[in-house]
Amino acid sequence: MSIQLSLQGIGKKRHGESPAYLFREITAEVRSGQRIVLLGTSGQGKTTLLRILSRLEKPDEGTLSLNGRPFLEWKPQEWRRRVCYVAQQPVMLTGTVEANLRAVSELHGAAFDKRLAEECMAALGLESLDWSKQAADLSGGEKQRTALVRALLLQSEVLLLDEVTASLDPASKRAAERLLSDWAQKRGTALIWITHDLDQAAQVSDFIWFMDEGRLLETAPAEEFFREPSTRQARSFIRRTDSEGSLL
């Protein structure tokens, strides 16, 4: 698998807090089709890291490269087309469901693939959703699934998924997991996924990134990480998660 995204020494400072850094010295590689789950307790900066990878925030240290080109050589809009961030709280644009689905194509001057949109909506159980309905009137779960389809239509090289199934019922959650895993396998799209569900993390990942103490302490194949994590912090994290039944 080719390297799509590379992180070298990424650091982010806190705003007037101690310690000075939220995290630093984050170095890792993301390969095509790889499914990575980013784990760690609350406050480690996982969302901030994803926002940096999508160039929605700037790192205070380090550099990123996409397909071997440093991030400063890319126009931000083109980078974000290739590295797409999907937020936990979906943002619906003013207008209909269809207008929201078309928004990505219009933004980047590309043809709207209606057939692909219909296939993705059906895969997420939204085949009966009226596209003329106002997006603001959708339920929380409908908004989250529609926002995910909107992001998929961008056909990015890397998808950054920030707890994108958090508000879904179990059936919709499983459907999203299947769609995303199939998408990565068939299209070579890399996934970096934050989840607060350890069972989900084990099911949807090939690789685990584990953050603690302001560092990326482990990068390991998922099976290896869950069987025998190499750091004391990761072992404690898994034990605590198992005992509490959910991630912090």
Side-chain angles (χ1 to χ4, degrees):
M1 294 185 292
S2 61
I3 297 173
Q4 288 181 312
L5 186 62
S6 178
L7 298 67
Q8 293 292 328
I10 297 298
K12 184 66 176 178
K13 292 181 178 178
R14 299 178 185 270
H15 298 290
E17 298 181 32
S18 183
Y21 280 87
L22 179 60
F23 54 75
R24 64 188 316 186
E25 299 178 6
I26 305 292
T27 296
E29 294 176 343
V30 181
R31 298 182 178 272
S32 59
Q34 196 171 42
R35 299 175 304 160
I36 298 166
V37 166
L38 178 57
L39 294 177
T41 56
S42 295
Q44 294 301 316
K46 300 184 295 296
T47 291
T48 299
L49 179 59
L50 291 196
R51 289 178 59 82
I52 288 173
L53 297 185
S54 63
R55 294 188 65 181
L56 294 172
E57 293 192 34
K58 295 180 179 180
D60 293 309
E61 293 179 348
T63 188
L64 304 169
S65 62
L66 180 64
N67 298 328
R69 287 177 55 192
F71 73 105
L72 292 177
E73 295 181 8
W74 292 85
K75 293 181 179 179
Q77 182 175 337
E78 180 60 19
W79 179 283
R80 292 178 192 134
R81 188 187 74 78
R82 294 172 180 265
V83 183
C84 179
Y85 173 70
V86 188
Q88 178 182 2
Q89 298 296 329
V91 177
M92 292 290 101
L93 305 175
T94 301
T96 65
V97 170
E98 183 169 358
N100 271 264
L101 294 174
R102 288 181 175 273
V104 165
S105 302
E106 294 173 355
L107 177 63
H108 293 281
F112 174 62
D113 193 335
K114 185 177 181 180
R115 181 176 178 179
L116 181 60
E118 290 172 342
E119 290 175 354
C120 291
M121 293 289 275
L124 294 177
L126 296 175
E127 62 271 25
S128 299
L129 186 65
D130 182 0
W131 286 22
S132 65
K133 186 175 184 178
Q134 291 295 305
D137 295 333
L138 299 179
S139 69
E142 289 172 337
K143 288 178 180 178
Q144 195 161 44
R145 285 177 285 168
T146 300
L148 179 56
V149 172
R150 184 176 61 193
L152 289 173
L153 293 176
L154 195 54
Q155 301 190 58
S156 302
E157 296 175 38
V158 182
L159 274 174
L160 309 173
L161 307 167
D162 194 350
E163 301 182 40
V164 295
T165 63
S167 69
L168 301 185
D169 61 77
S172 297
K173 184 177 179 180
R174 297 286 93 81
E177 292 169 356
R178 287 193 299 270
L179 175 60
L180 287 164
S181 292
D182 288 347
W183 192 275
Q185 181 180 20
K186 294 176 181 178
R187 297 173 180 267
T189 304
L191 310 179
I192 307 178
W193 193 328
I194 297 173
T195 177
H196 277 192
D197 182 333
L198 202 56
D199 289 334
Q200 182 181 66
Q203 292 169 5
V204 303
S205 64
D206 306 308
F207 218 74
I208 298 293
W209 290 1
F210 175 70
M211 292 181 69
D212 201 4
E213 299 180 356
R215 298 287 193 277
L216 187 57
L217 290 186
E218 293 197 38
T219 58
E223 183 179 350
E224 177 182 315
F225 176 83
F226 287 114
R227 182 181 68 248
E228 191 174 359
S230 62
T231 62
R232 168 186 55 79
Q233 294 90 337
R235 291 191 293 271
S236 175
F237 172 80
I238 291 175
R239 285 196 302 269
R240 185 169 63 252
T241 299
D242 284 341
S243 67
E244 296 176 355
S246 64
L247 296 181
L248 295 177

